[in-house]
Structures are given as C-alpha cells and as structure tokens.
Amino acid sequence: MKPSPLRRLLAQRAAPAAAPGAAPAAPELAPELAQARALIAAIDAGGIPLYPGKVNQIARALGLEVSREAPVEATVERIRSLMLQLQG
C-alpha cells in the first residue's frame, strides 16, 4: 500500500545536506514547530489527518488547550493561526 501524501510529507523531516562552501543553513526549528509546519504543509497539499490524536498532540505541544471532542478542522485552524502569528 502506498503511503498517503500526509504521511510522506510528515516523513520529510531531515533537511538536505548543504554542499561544501554553501551558505550556512537557517537554524533548525523546535521539533513541535517543525511538526506543526509539516502538518499544515501536508494538509495544504491535499492530505487528510487520519489520527485526530496526533493533531491534538501537536497542538498541545505548541501550548494550545485542546478538548478531546474538538473537531480536527478547528484544531488545525488554531494551529494554522498560531503559526501565522509566530511568523509575523
């Protein structure tokens, strides 16, 4: 069985190695921010989060309070708005 687009994007955590003599890479993100960014990128690419618990875990790692009964869509939007706040 072929992995879903969401799984493929979440699996892409390792940054490509920089070529010798290239400019230094930007500092790495905190793991929870990297997970949130990967989740949002996967959803924007057409993926569907299969495990609501994983979405809730990412949101809680970012400091959001999430109810177990909260719709996944609402939690994703809260993560998305937090990421936008952190960028700007």
Side-chain angles (χ1 to χ4, degrees):
M1 178 184 249
K2 195 165 126 181
S4 70
L6 178 62
R7 249 188 218 282
R8 281 196 306 266
L9 288 172
L10 288 175
Q12 295 175 352
R13 293 191 184 174
E28 288 189 29
L29 292 175
E32 58 272 5
L33 291 176
Q35 283 183 332
R37 182 173 284 171
L39 173 70
I40 297 299
I43 291 170
D44 289 346
I48 299 170
L50 299 177
Y51 301 107
K54 184 65 176 174
V55 175
N56 290 348
Q57 178 186 4
I58 293 170
R60 288 185 185 112
L62 292 171
L64 298 173
E65 291 184 21
V66 182
S67 168
R68 291 179 65 191
E69 289 81 28
V72 175
E73 297 81 14
T75 305
V76 168
E77 285 307 312
R78 291 180 64 204
I79 293 172
R80 188 184 304 273
S81 67
L82 179 66
M83 295 300 289
L84 289 173
Q85 287 177 2
L86 293 176
Q87 285 180 356

